[in-house]
Amino acid sequence: MSTPEIAIRLFAAVLLAPIAGMLLVGLDRRISARLQGRVGPPVTQPFYDLVKLLAKQGDTTSRFQTACLALYLASNVVSLAMVFLGQDLLVMLFVVAFGAVAYIVGGFSAKSPYSQLGTQREMLQLLTYEPLLIFLAVGIYLRTGSFLAADVLRLERPLLPELPVFALTLVVVYCIKLRKSPFDIAASAHHGHQEVVRGPLSEVAGPSLALVELAHWYELPLLLSIAALLWATPLWAGVLLGLACLLASIVVDNVAARLTWSWMLRFGWAVAVPASIANLLYLYATRGGGS
Amino acid sequence: MNLIQKARMKSPWILHFNAGSCNGCDIEILSCLTPVYDIERFGAVNVGNPKHADVLLVTGPVNRRNERVLRNLYDQMLDPKIVVAVGTCASSGGVFQNCYNCMGGVDKVIPVDVYVPGCAAKPETIIEGLILGLEKLAKMPSKPKKGAQPAEART
Amino acid sequence: MSVLGEVSGIARIEDAPLESLLDALRAYRQRQARFITASCLDRGDRFEILYLFDEDLRTVAVRTLLPKGAKLPSATGVYLCAFLVENELQDLFGIEVEGLHIDYSGKFLVTDTFDAPPLLKQTACELQLPKENPS
Amino acid sequence: MRDLLIPILVLSPMAGGALALILRGRAARSALVALSAAALVFAAVALASNGLMRYTPGPLTTIDWNRVVLAADVVLLGWFLALAWTRRHPGAFSLALLQAVGFAFLEIRYGERLRVTQGFVVDWLAIAMVLLVSILGSAIALYAIPYMDEHERHHPGVPSRQPRFFALILVFLGAMNGLALSNNLYWTYLFWEITTLCCVLLIAHDGTAEAVASSNRALWMNLVGGCAFLAAILMLAHAQPIGEAMAIDRLVGGPTPYLVPVALLCLAGFTKSAQLPFQGWLLGAMVAPTPVSALLHSSTMVKAGVYLVIRCAPAMQDTGLTNVVALAGAFTFVATAMVAISQRNAKRVLAYSTISNLGLIIACAGLNTAMAVSAAVMLLLFHAVSKALLFLAAGAIEQRIGSREIERMEGLVLRMPWTTALTVLGVLTMLLPPFGVLVSKWAALESAAREPAAMVLFVLGSAFTVLFWVRWIGRLMAVEPGREPEMTEQMPALFRWTMGSVAALAVLLSLLVTQVMQRFVAPVVASYLQVGSEGFRATVADLESRIGSFPVLGLALSLLIAVALAVILASGRRAPTVPYLCGEPPAEGAELAPLGPGDRPAPVRVSGTYLERFFAEERHAAWMTVGGVLLTAAMLGVAAL
Amino acid sequence: MSEGTSVPFGPQHPVLPEPIQLRISLEDENVVQALPALGYVHRGIEKAGELNDFQQNVFLVERVCGICSSIHALAYCLAVEAVLGLEAPKRASYLRVVWMELHRIHSHLLYLGLLAEAFGFESLFMEFWRVRERVMDLLEMTAGNRVIISVCTIGGVRRDIDAEQARAIREELPKLRDEARRLVDSLLSDYTVRQRTVGKGTIPAALALELGAVGPTLRGSGVAQDMRMAGYAAYGELEFRPVTFPDGDTYSRTAVRAEEVFQSIDLVLAALDNLPEGDLKVGFKGRPEGAALARVEAPRGELIYMVVGNGTKNLERMRVRVPTYANIPALLTVLPGCEFADVPVVTLSIDPCISCTER
Amino acid sequence: MARMLRSVLHNAFSKPATRPFPEAPRAAFEKARGLVTFDCTDCRFCGACALKCPTGAIRVVREERKILFEPFKCIVCGACLEACRFGSVQMGPERRKPVYEKPVEVYTKPEADKPATPQDRNE
């Protein structure tokens, strides 16, 4: 990759992607509203939320938590940039985990009951989705012979037909990451009607909360691009696949109640993980392709 | 109207607190969230956490035990913020004038920016009250007060 | 003032002196009457307390007279659910209830900002009008 | 000068140890420890800068060194017998007896076959190990000086056992260096048993019933390993008629026909590294003073086991044995990481995490490709440093708060900001990119990607790992919103310096991961290139393999920028605040106690989640042990077939 | 060693529509104890009832609770009517039934929505509340106000339902029934909803009776007890059978309320069909002297008013016993053993009305 | 979940239930209880309305022949309307609007040349 190309990709990852992410977050709320028979907020709503939060006077949480949230934001930016630069998927997922850890540590650092309870649940969410994502990366590797995202983009045929389970587990990951039912156990997406209030974000306000909102703008393109890896040629089909996963998670959100963390753990480790493993075993069994 | 003012107008996060109300106004506030009235059209979200909220919707005449709660919630909200007293009780105590445990209105405890009439206040009136309050919110200073800084300096 | 005579809507009122109150309640418990609530009236020098029960949609009652200053034995040992109403009696009438299962010590419904129990007859309402806005 | 390095590394600490027994007076002892530490560090660095070498000690005046070793072995086995006898432990006694008989048989039958021409072969793996032992060992020994003073203050009335303590520590360091450098299996066996003895005696240091019981468990489990080791030596001595029967470089330099001895050596390694089903002794060992845990039970002695397995790796290439070893390691990795979630005691968490990571190293060694072995070596290094830091910090915390319970450490950052910061740093270096442990884990995952069972276990184990680390940091940092720690803390100067330098080492080593790769790891796996297995290439910025790359420099830079940004963003204006307690204001003065039922202040508390419902030790003990036993048996069985 | 977790749940909490504090002790998210702190909505209405003119009290008691407000007014009026020896005209009794049942529909739909919200089923909450708007419109159309309809007065009713309005109600209710049926079916058959409700907070019938539970809470435990069977207002002349479900869990209680929506629709339609002509209220002179107790079935269960008059315009005593008051002991008994996530769900399953409880 | 899926999909492809408020407000119900106003043309200032008002929102100052009405105390119950024998209290279906400051409305007997309008006064 030449230097100008790297610059262009970095620009796209750091500046363009979040704008798309913002619109997607807005679209998410809008679609949810339509599914509920409402009009819903304008698509640019997240932008106004962000500006308003930044203009709030002061911050209520500890400096440490703010720093953690900044690291969470940074990890989302870096991981998105890594995908755009065609970097190693495993390392990218580690960076994502870095962000998750920062977020969780931040939540734990606020000694406030709901921050603590919510963060404990957040931790269990990490335990549920992290293996699914790594299995996805391994699945991709088994067909491409490489963990590099750049190599996936060079493929001539889509991966999805051989990795069908991962599209489904990805919907699960979307639901967890985007705080949607039935997995919105640590904090709900838009409406705060949760028994643990806003979980890890209970004490976060003003500009610090803006960091989190901003981080979500990077999170959605990131999740989308992970899905896109499953159908990397042509790339627009992958983006469509990502959008389809997003839509699926929105629909699931609206047809399911929030379930409990114990249900989530059971589902994750008794259904989603074994399903992923089954798909992987299939890939091992029919070794070929990229290897 | 500058960007910050516009953002404030378009992103009111609401904290609803029932300060001893009969529930009448509270269910009407909830109705505002539901499809028929849908105040999320205006970017409003019922956040349920004072630290996130810009607008405090208070119902009820404020009783003596939740007086401290109301004050605490108000204090936990970050500036700039507005308080909307929803319903007759919140405005003035209403029908509970003879009740020994009532303070007789939200403005006896915390400053109120907008009074919404009605017993119970109708969703339309609540929405109007919210919008009225946002106009006030938008004009509030963006920087914490240091000496005398004119509120309208930024427009 | 005399005690209540007939109460429209209550099929039977059985008088029980304070000492045998709990026995009377136990009898109802044994008959599997559903405890509804207790109601108290300030009768000057004493309280008139009605324990209401439901027997197949009929209301029946046990009445006891409690001199002011005397302690009321708690019914929570017989009907656990009486703890709510007994705490309320402590709050609003200043009756001391003995052996209460969960005792809020007079701060069940009210905070201690009153000079006298509010539901006593002599307690004038004006005493408890709201304080001025402190800020 | 060159020829002096190895004697300095091996013998000078031992001599220092002997001296420590005699010397009375704290100052003299401290000076001795400091001197030994300086000598060790100096010699280790010199050894490293000297690079590869071979060395065979000349005879000690007229006595052959093999005679010295024989004498030492006899003393040692006698000591074991006496120890088991006085402690009334029949199991340990019979194992010691078995070993003594075996040893006698070995000496009588094959005495002449036990010598080798190359007494010490210094390769990069050995250098790495020596550096670890000497540098970390020195730091920990220095840390132990103030620690043991304080420790004895906590146990008044008991006569000081510090001379014995430091003697054992120093002897142990010499033995570890000997173990790493020796090329003679017979000598290695001696060093191996010395470490066992030091370990057993140090665990019993406090002399409490619990300490003695734990010490006994360590004794018999390690004696099992000793037996296996001895059995391996016997078989090799029997099978190999030539004079080089004991030369490690010959034996395990490449594929070998002697698989059963190799399997036995692995078994010995398993016991030393507390792999399932031998995890019990390491958990019990946590009763020892914390420097012991830091030195023996996390960063050095338990590494001897995995060191041996890594050494054996080339010998078992492309055999069924290597697969079983990989599986056994991966199994330990997952099972112990899972159980660690339910632990409330910080030292037990550290112990489980150690076992788990050792399992991962063994699994990598078992995978036995160039990449996997690289991962194993890297993990060996990085884990040792980070874990040493964590144990030192845990010791400092324990002495201050008088507890090892994680729950008691809630909000510790207010009381011990620097120690907490170091602990958090230690955990982060264990957990997050771009720190070394994670780079190694990445390498492990990539190298396992073609092995379904190992890969699945690696992924699941990693997921568990995050949980207990994150929770611990969370507890340490839990502070009411609105309170900020003042960064002042009293601690002994030696604590500060040793912990500070180990922390600096952890960070520095991570930043230099590509250098580490080139210097220490690449040479180790060089031999694999001959069999067509490719390892990692290190450039300035990246660590690359055929199937992926780890942008070390890029991530380190990103992290630097991110941290700078975070600090700037966190310096914004604070609004005065109280925690959100559902509206009730916290009562004045009291800690987080809003008014509750009856207007009474009721303290709010949230304890950590330990998920005992899912992960309690008792729930999993049975299948973990059974699985461990089966896999160990399978290991021997596969080798025998 | 473990010190457990103790958190305040309320007074202000996003899932609680009303201020009440539950002090919850947890072990790994399992509730071991729940202790309520009430008094955040206590206003002192019983005392105010003694200080006000007994006729003004109608407006006061309507505001004991905004959700079942008209039923409070009815119970008060029935009690005062009994003291005064009045009987409301036939038409008034039927109109009372119409409004009470419309109110019950609104209250139950509100409950179903709030319950969905409690387990994070936002779309279902929205759906129920959207359907509920139909009733709200009917109430506003007939009574002039949405929530506090203020139709009862001592001796009868204050407003009439004319033919035009009756026709509108008859048109609207079947639509409502269809929509509600669809929603209730999705609610009761949904896998995730069943996960969150079946077997949660189970109150066996014997326990429910012992703890004095009433209304849908009692009927959800399989006890067919409904004050409307006593036949006040015009209920004696209309046919209905109490809805019961046997299991005593959150699901059963929800199912009872869901089915009662349809029962109420039938009752409204039946009352409109049989609506007799006649006066709306009877006039009266004099002031209440003597005591009376009235028990009616509010949406949450039996509601009891006892009034004691002393011959002046002020009452000697006004005693209110509301359904939630009776259901709280049962709730407190079943909360321990639940998961923390179930606390809002199980709490809502008795459809608590705190402003009623504390008056 | 399948039934719910049908519902949400139906919603997605039909017009939202949201009423266009405040752009196009719905007409009030004919008999809605809304704005209470006084017309003092025939008023005798007898005070019956004030006496019946359960909230004390109405004060009748007989000497000055004026009515002080605090609309933010009013619960729109209509008791005053029922109490007045002279038709001086009116209730319209319109809603009262929210305000920044609570007004006190003062009603006096209209002079021949003055229309009957309330004068707002801030308390």
Side-chain angles (χ1 to χ4, degrees), chain B residues 15 17 50-51 53-58 66-84 106 109-113 140, chain C residues 135, chain D residues 576 578 583, chain E residues 12:
Chain B
L15 172 69
F17 182 59
K51 307 216 167 186
D54 311 298
V55 181
L56 177 58
L57 295 185
V58 194
N66 66 33
E67 172 201 347
R68 62 183 187 231
V69 180
L70 181 59
R71 196 169 286 132
N72 179 250
L73 290 173
Y74 179 75
D75 289 345
Q76 285 192 19
M77 288 171 64
L78 286 179
D79 286 324
K81 58 190 168 194
I82 54 164
V83 177
V84 179
V106 176
V109 182
I110 53 172
V112 171
D113 296 287
M140 289 183 174
Chain C
S135 56
Chain D
V578 289
Chain E
Q12 185 275 328

Short mmCIF file of all heavy atoms in Angstrom, two decimals, chain B residues 15 17 50-51 53-58 66-84 106 109-113 140, chain C residues 135, chain D residues 576 578 583, chain E residues 12:
data_model
loop_
_atom_site.label_atom_id
_atom_site.label_comp_id
_atom_site.label_asym_id
_atom_site.label_seq_id
_atom_site.Cartn_x
_atom_site.Cartn_y
_atom_site.Cartn_z
N LEU B 15 -35.91 13.91 32.22
CA LEU B 15 -36.01 13.14 33.45
C LEU B 15 -37.40 13.42 34.00
O LEU B 15 -37.79 14.57 34.17
CB LEU B 15 -34.95 13.58 34.45
CG LEU B 15 -35.09 12.96 35.84
CD1 LEU B 15 -34.78 11.49 35.79
CD2 LEU B 15 -34.19 13.63 36.84
N PHE B 17 -39.92 13.01 37.08
CA PHE B 17 -40.00 12.64 38.49
C PHE B 17 -41.39 12.91 39.03
O PHE B 17 -41.96 13.98 38.82
CB PHE B 17 -38.96 13.40 39.32
CG PHE B 17 -38.98 12.99 40.78
CD1 PHE B 17 -38.74 11.68 41.13
CD2 PHE B 17 -39.26 13.91 41.76
CE1 PHE B 17 -38.77 11.28 42.46
CE2 PHE B 17 -39.29 13.51 43.10
CZ PHE B 17 -39.05 12.20 43.44
N PRO B 50 -30.78 11.51 36.20
CA PRO B 50 -30.61 12.97 36.25
C PRO B 50 -29.32 13.44 35.61
O PRO B 50 -29.26 14.54 35.09
CB PRO B 50 -30.60 13.26 37.76
CG PRO B 50 -30.33 11.97 38.41
CD PRO B 50 -30.92 10.93 37.52
N LYS B 51 -28.30 12.57 35.63
CA LYS B 51 -27.01 13.02 35.11
C LYS B 51 -27.06 13.21 33.60
O LYS B 51 -26.22 13.88 33.04
CB LYS B 51 -25.93 12.01 35.47
CG LYS B 51 -25.94 11.74 36.95
CD LYS B 51 -24.59 11.52 37.53
CE LYS B 51 -24.71 11.58 39.03
NZ LYS B 51 -23.46 11.51 39.72
N ALA B 53 -29.92 14.17 31.99
CA ALA B 53 -31.12 14.89 31.57
C ALA B 53 -30.87 16.38 31.41
O ALA B 53 -30.01 16.97 32.07
CB ALA B 53 -32.22 14.65 32.58
N ASP B 54 -31.64 16.98 30.50
CA ASP B 54 -31.64 18.43 30.33
C ASP B 54 -32.92 19.04 30.89
O ASP B 54 -32.95 20.19 31.28
CB ASP B 54 -31.57 18.79 28.85
CG ASP B 54 -30.46 18.03 28.15
OD1 ASP B 54 -29.32 18.23 28.52
OD2 ASP B 54 -30.77 17.24 27.22
N VAL B 55 -33.97 18.24 30.83
CA VAL B 55 -35.28 18.76 31.22
C VAL B 55 -35.81 17.89 32.35
O VAL B 55 -35.82 16.67 32.25
CB VAL B 55 -36.26 18.69 30.03
CG1 VAL B 55 -37.60 19.24 30.43
CG2 VAL B 55 -35.70 19.43 28.84
N LEU B 56 -36.23 18.54 33.41
CA LEU B 56 -36.82 17.81 34.52
C LEU B 56 -38.32 18.04 34.48
O LEU B 56 -38.78 19.17 34.64
CB LEU B 56 -36.22 18.29 35.84
CG LEU B 56 -36.76 17.70 37.14
CD1 LEU B 56 -36.59 16.20 37.15
CD2 LEU B 56 -36.05 18.29 38.34
N LEU B 57 -39.06 16.98 34.20
CA LEU B 57 -40.52 17.09 34.22
C LEU B 57 -40.98 16.63 35.60
O LEU B 57 -40.79 15.47 35.96
CB LEU B 57 -41.16 16.19 33.16
CG LEU B 57 -40.90 16.50 31.69
CD1 LEU B 57 -41.74 15.56 30.83
CD2 LEU B 57 -41.25 17.93 31.36
N VAL B 58 -41.56 17.52 36.35
CA VAL B 58 -42.00 17.15 37.69
C VAL B 58 -43.51 17.19 37.74
O VAL B 58 -44.14 18.12 37.26
CB VAL B 58 -41.45 18.10 38.76
CG1 VAL B 58 -41.63 17.50 40.13
CG2 VAL B 58 -40.00 18.39 38.52
N ASN B 66 -40.26 13.40 49.59
CA ASN B 66 -39.50 13.46 48.33
C ASN B 66 -39.04 14.85 47.98
O ASN B 66 -38.46 15.06 46.93
CB ASN B 66 -40.25 12.77 47.19
CG ASN B 66 -41.50 13.45 46.78
OD1 ASN B 66 -41.59 14.67 46.85
ND2 ASN B 66 -42.47 12.68 46.34
N GLU B 67 -39.24 15.76 48.88
CA GLU B 67 -38.65 17.09 48.70
C GLU B 67 -37.13 16.98 48.55
O GLU B 67 -36.53 17.54 47.63
CB GLU B 67 -39.01 17.95 49.91
CG GLU B 67 -38.31 19.28 49.95
CD GLU B 67 -38.27 19.87 51.36
OE1 GLU B 67 -38.99 19.35 52.25
OE2 GLU B 67 -37.52 20.82 51.57
N ARG B 68 -36.53 16.19 49.45
CA ARG B 68 -35.07 16.06 49.39
C ARG B 68 -34.64 15.32 48.12
O ARG B 68 -33.58 15.59 47.55
CB ARG B 68 -34.54 15.34 50.63
CG ARG B 68 -35.07 13.93 50.77
CD ARG B 68 -34.62 13.22 52.03
NE ARG B 68 -35.04 11.84 52.01
CZ ARG B 68 -35.70 11.23 53.00
NH1 ARG B 68 -36.00 11.88 54.09
NH2 ARG B 68 -36.03 9.96 52.89
N VAL B 69 -35.49 14.38 47.70
CA VAL B 69 -35.18 13.63 46.49
C VAL B 69 -35.20 14.58 45.29
O VAL B 69 -34.30 14.58 44.45
CB VAL B 69 -36.19 12.49 46.29
CG1 VAL B 69 -35.87 11.72 45.02
CG2 VAL B 69 -36.17 11.56 47.49
N LEU B 70 -36.24 15.41 45.25
CA LEU B 70 -36.38 16.33 44.14
C LEU B 70 -35.18 17.28 44.08
O LEU B 70 -34.60 17.51 43.02
CB LEU B 70 -37.69 17.13 44.32
CG LEU B 70 -38.00 18.14 43.23
CD1 LEU B 70 -38.11 17.46 41.89
CD2 LEU B 70 -39.30 18.87 43.55
N ARG B 71 -34.80 17.77 45.24
CA ARG B 71 -33.68 18.70 45.26
C ARG B 71 -32.39 17.99 44.83
O ARG B 71 -31.60 18.52 44.06
CB ARG B 71 -33.53 19.26 46.68
CG ARG B 71 -32.65 20.49 46.72
CD ARG B 71 -32.73 21.18 48.05
NE ARG B 71 -33.98 21.89 48.26
CZ ARG B 71 -34.72 21.80 49.35
NH1 ARG B 71 -34.33 21.03 50.34
NH2 ARG B 71 -35.83 22.48 49.47
N ASN B 72 -32.25 16.76 45.31
CA ASN B 72 -31.06 15.99 44.94
C ASN B 72 -31.01 15.73 43.43
O ASN B 72 -29.97 15.88 42.80
CB ASN B 72 -31.08 14.67 45.71
CG ASN B 72 -29.90 13.77 45.38
OD1 ASN B 72 -30.06 12.75 44.74
ND2 ASN B 72 -28.71 14.17 45.78
N LEU B 73 -32.15 15.37 42.87
CA LEU B 73 -32.19 15.12 41.43
C LEU B 73 -31.85 16.38 40.66
O LEU B 73 -31.09 16.36 39.69
CB LEU B 73 -33.57 14.61 41.02
CG LEU B 73 -33.92 13.20 41.48
CD1 LEU B 73 -35.37 12.89 41.15
CD2 LEU B 73 -33.02 12.18 40.83
N TYR B 74 -32.42 17.49 41.13
CA TYR B 74 -32.17 18.76 40.45
C TYR B 74 -30.68 19.08 40.50
O TYR B 74 -30.08 19.49 39.50
CB TYR B 74 -32.99 19.85 41.12
CG TYR B 74 -32.80 21.23 40.51
CD1 TYR B 74 -33.37 21.53 39.28
CD2 TYR B 74 -32.04 22.19 41.15
CE1 TYR B 74 -33.20 22.78 38.71
CE2 TYR B 74 -31.86 23.44 40.59
CZ TYR B 74 -32.44 23.73 39.37
OH TYR B 74 -32.26 24.96 38.80
N ASP B 75 -30.08 18.88 41.66
CA ASP B 75 -28.66 19.17 41.80
C ASP B 75 -27.79 18.27 40.93
O ASP B 75 -26.72 18.67 40.50
CB ASP B 75 -28.22 19.01 43.27
CG ASP B 75 -28.78 20.11 44.14
OD1 ASP B 75 -29.23 21.12 43.57
OD2 ASP B 75 -28.79 19.95 45.37
N GLN B 76 -28.26 17.05 40.72
CA GLN B 76 -27.44 16.12 39.93
C GLN B 76 -27.48 16.42 38.45
O GLN B 76 -26.65 15.92 37.69
CB GLN B 76 -27.90 14.68 40.16
CG GLN B 76 -27.45 14.16 41.50
CD GLN B 76 -27.65 12.67 41.62
OE1 GLN B 76 -27.79 11.96 40.64
NE2 GLN B 76 -27.68 12.18 42.83
N MET B 77 -28.47 17.20 38.02
CA MET B 77 -28.53 17.52 36.60
C MET B 77 -27.48 18.57 36.28
O MET B 77 -27.24 19.48 37.05
CB MET B 77 -29.92 18.05 36.24
CG MET B 77 -30.98 16.97 36.25
SD MET B 77 -32.63 17.63 36.08
CE MET B 77 -32.58 18.34 34.46
N LEU B 78 -26.88 18.39 35.11
CA LEU B 78 -25.84 19.33 34.70
C LEU B 78 -26.46 20.56 34.09
O LEU B 78 -27.49 20.48 33.41
CB LEU B 78 -24.94 18.67 33.67
CG LEU B 78 -23.95 17.62 34.16
CD1 LEU B 78 -23.17 17.09 32.99
CD2 LEU B 78 -23.02 18.22 35.17
N ASP B 79 -25.83 21.71 34.29
CA ASP B 79 -26.25 22.92 33.61
C ASP B 79 -25.91 22.80 32.14
O ASP B 79 -24.95 22.14 31.79
CB ASP B 79 -25.52 24.11 34.21
CG ASP B 79 -26.06 24.46 35.58
OD1 ASP B 79 -27.28 24.31 35.75
OD2 ASP B 79 -25.28 24.85 36.47
N PRO B 80 -26.64 23.45 31.27
CA PRO B 80 -27.90 24.12 31.50
C PRO B 80 -29.07 23.14 31.60
O PRO B 80 -29.05 22.10 30.95
CB PRO B 80 -28.04 24.99 30.25
CG PRO B 80 -27.30 24.25 29.19
CD PRO B 80 -26.19 23.52 29.88
N LYS B 81 -30.05 23.50 32.39
CA LYS B 81 -31.18 22.60 32.60
C LYS B 81 -32.44 23.42 32.85
O LYS B 81 -32.35 24.58 33.26
CB LYS B 81 -30.90 21.71 33.81
CG LYS B 81 -30.66 22.51 35.09
CD LYS B 81 -30.16 21.63 36.21
CE LYS B 81 -29.65 22.44 37.38
NZ LYS B 81 -28.88 21.64 38.33
N ILE B 82 -33.56 22.83 32.57
CA ILE B 82 -34.82 23.51 32.88
C ILE B 82 -35.74 22.57 33.64
O ILE B 82 -35.60 21.35 33.56
CB ILE B 82 -35.56 24.03 31.63
CG1 ILE B 82 -35.77 22.90 30.64
CG2 ILE B 82 -34.83 25.20 31.01
CD1 ILE B 82 -36.79 23.21 29.60
N VAL B 83 -36.64 23.17 34.37
CA VAL B 83 -37.62 22.41 35.13
C VAL B 83 -39.01 22.75 34.61
O VAL B 83 -39.35 23.92 34.48
CB VAL B 83 -37.54 22.74 36.62
CG1 VAL B 83 -38.61 22.00 37.40
CG2 VAL B 83 -36.16 22.42 37.17
N VAL B 84 -39.75 21.72 34.28
CA VAL B 84 -41.12 21.93 33.83
C VAL B 84 -42.04 21.31 34.87
O VAL B 84 -41.96 20.11 35.14
CB VAL B 84 -41.35 21.27 32.44
CG1 VAL B 84 -42.77 21.48 31.99
CG2 VAL B 84 -40.37 21.83 31.43
N VAL B 106 -43.97 22.65 42.96
CA VAL B 106 -42.55 22.40 42.77
C VAL B 106 -41.73 23.66 43.06
O VAL B 106 -40.62 23.58 43.57
CB VAL B 106 -42.32 21.93 41.32
CG1 VAL B 106 -40.84 21.77 41.04
CG2 VAL B 106 -43.04 20.63 41.09
N VAL B 109 -39.67 24.28 46.11
CA VAL B 109 -38.46 23.53 46.39
C VAL B 109 -37.31 23.88 45.43
O VAL B 109 -36.20 24.12 45.85
CB VAL B 109 -38.73 22.01 46.32
CG1 VAL B 109 -37.48 21.21 46.66
CG2 VAL B 109 -39.86 21.64 47.26
N ILE B 110 -37.62 23.89 44.16
CA ILE B 110 -36.59 24.22 43.17
C ILE B 110 -37.18 25.23 42.20
O ILE B 110 -38.41 25.31 42.05
CB ILE B 110 -36.11 22.97 42.39
CG1 ILE B 110 -37.31 22.22 41.77
CG2 ILE B 110 -35.29 22.05 43.26
CD1 ILE B 110 -36.90 21.10 40.85
N PRO B 111 -36.33 26.01 41.53
CA PRO B 111 -36.87 26.99 40.58
C PRO B 111 -37.53 26.30 39.39
O PRO B 111 -37.00 25.32 38.87
CB PRO B 111 -35.63 27.77 40.14
CG PRO B 111 -34.46 26.98 40.56
CD PRO B 111 -34.89 26.12 41.69
N VAL B 112 -38.68 26.82 39.01
CA VAL B 112 -39.44 26.23 37.91
C VAL B 112 -39.39 27.17 36.72
O VAL B 112 -39.51 28.38 36.87
CB VAL B 112 -40.90 25.98 38.34
CG1 VAL B 112 -41.75 25.57 37.15
CG2 VAL B 112 -40.95 24.92 39.41
N ASP B 113 -39.16 26.59 35.54
CA ASP B 113 -39.08 27.42 34.35
C ASP B 113 -40.40 27.49 33.60
O ASP B 113 -40.75 28.53 33.07
CB ASP B 113 -38.00 26.88 33.42
CG ASP B 113 -36.63 26.97 34.06
OD1 ASP B 113 -36.12 28.09 34.15
OD2 ASP B 113 -36.10 25.93 34.51
N MET B 140 -29.72 29.61 27.28
CA MET B 140 -28.87 29.62 28.47
C MET B 140 -27.40 29.64 28.07
O MET B 140 -27.04 29.13 27.02
CB MET B 140 -29.17 28.41 29.34
CG MET B 140 -30.51 28.53 30.01
SD MET B 140 -30.81 27.14 31.08
CE MET B 140 -32.34 27.65 31.84
N SER C 135 -34.60 28.14 49.50
CA SER C 135 -33.47 28.68 48.72
C SER C 135 -33.62 30.17 48.43
O SER C 135 -34.58 30.78 48.40
CB SER C 135 -33.34 27.94 47.40
OG SER C 135 -34.53 28.01 46.70
N PRO D 576 -19.61 19.52 40.59
CA PRO D 576 -19.70 18.85 41.89
C PRO D 576 -20.84 17.84 41.85
O PRO D 576 -21.91 18.12 41.29
CB PRO D 576 -20.00 19.98 42.87
CG PRO D 576 -20.53 21.08 42.04
CD PRO D 576 -19.92 20.94 40.67
N VAL D 578 -22.73 13.96 43.42
CA VAL D 578 -22.82 12.80 44.29
C VAL D 578 -23.22 11.64 43.40
O VAL D 578 -23.78 11.85 42.32
CB VAL D 578 -23.87 12.98 45.40
CG1 VAL D 578 -23.40 13.98 46.42
CG2 VAL D 578 -25.21 13.40 44.83
N GLY D 583 -32.00 8.99 43.49
CA GLY D 583 -32.64 10.20 43.99
C GLY D 583 -32.41 10.49 45.44
O GLY D 583 -32.40 11.65 45.83
N GLN E 12 -36.43 7.38 42.76
CA GLN E 12 -36.52 7.73 41.36
C GLN E 12 -35.75 6.67 40.60
O GLN E 12 -34.55 6.50 40.82
CB GLN E 12 -35.90 9.11 41.11
CG GLN E 12 -36.05 9.61 39.69
CD GLN E 12 -34.96 9.10 38.77
OE1 GLN E 12 -33.85 8.89 39.18
NE2 GLN E 12 -35.32 8.87 37.52
#
